[in-house]
Amino acid sequence: RPSQAFLAVEGLRAGGCKLDQFLFSTAINACGRAKAWRQSLELLRSMQTDGLELNTVTCNVAIGACGKGCEWMQALQLLLRMEAEDIAAGTATYNT
């Protein structure tokens, strides 16, 4: 459930746990499977707010979440952002 994934991240943050890209990628992916693309993008923003850099994996799962939610423009914007921020896009990025 996307709300549980989102709340889990918020709970870990409130508990003082150090959050990393893997944890965010996992939560973003969980939201994506539930077609909760808005929460996926919110987690992506939250990741950056926590000082973590975007990487190929987190962007791929966020693009996938947008795709599953039929939000192709959001997915395209994220792909363009990857290019602008020099984040490597690979085969998985384009097949997401």
Side-chain angles (χ1 to χ4, degrees):
R1 298 173 107 178
S3 58
Q4 288 177 334
F6 187 81
L7 291 173
V9 170
E10 293 304 313
L12 289 169
R13 179 183 286 120
C17 292
K18 181 172 170 45
L19 306 179
D20 60 15
Q21 283 122 334
F22 178 79
L23 182 119
F24 275 102
S25 294
T26 302
I28 291 167
N29 194 37
C31 291
R33 284 194 309 265
K35 298 179 183 173
W37 64 273
R38 283 185 182 96
Q39 285 183 325
S40 292
L41 294 180
E42 192 171 332
L43 284 167
L44 201 67
R45 283 188 292 277
S46 180
M47 181 180 149
Q48 289 185 286
T49 300
D50 285 359
L52 297 171
E53 290 186 22
L54 297 181
N55 62 26
T56 303
V57 174
T58 54
C59 288
N60 285 352
V61 294
I63 288 170
C66 292
K68 289 174 185 159
C70 296
E71 291 294 328
W72 303 108
M73 290 303 294
Q74 294 290 335
L76 181 57
Q77 287 177 352
L78 188 50
L79 181 61
L80 293 172
R81 183 174 171 190
M82 287 177 72
E83 185 177 296
E85 295 184 19
D86 204 28
I87 300 169
T91 305
T93 307
Y94 297 107
N95 288 329
T96 302

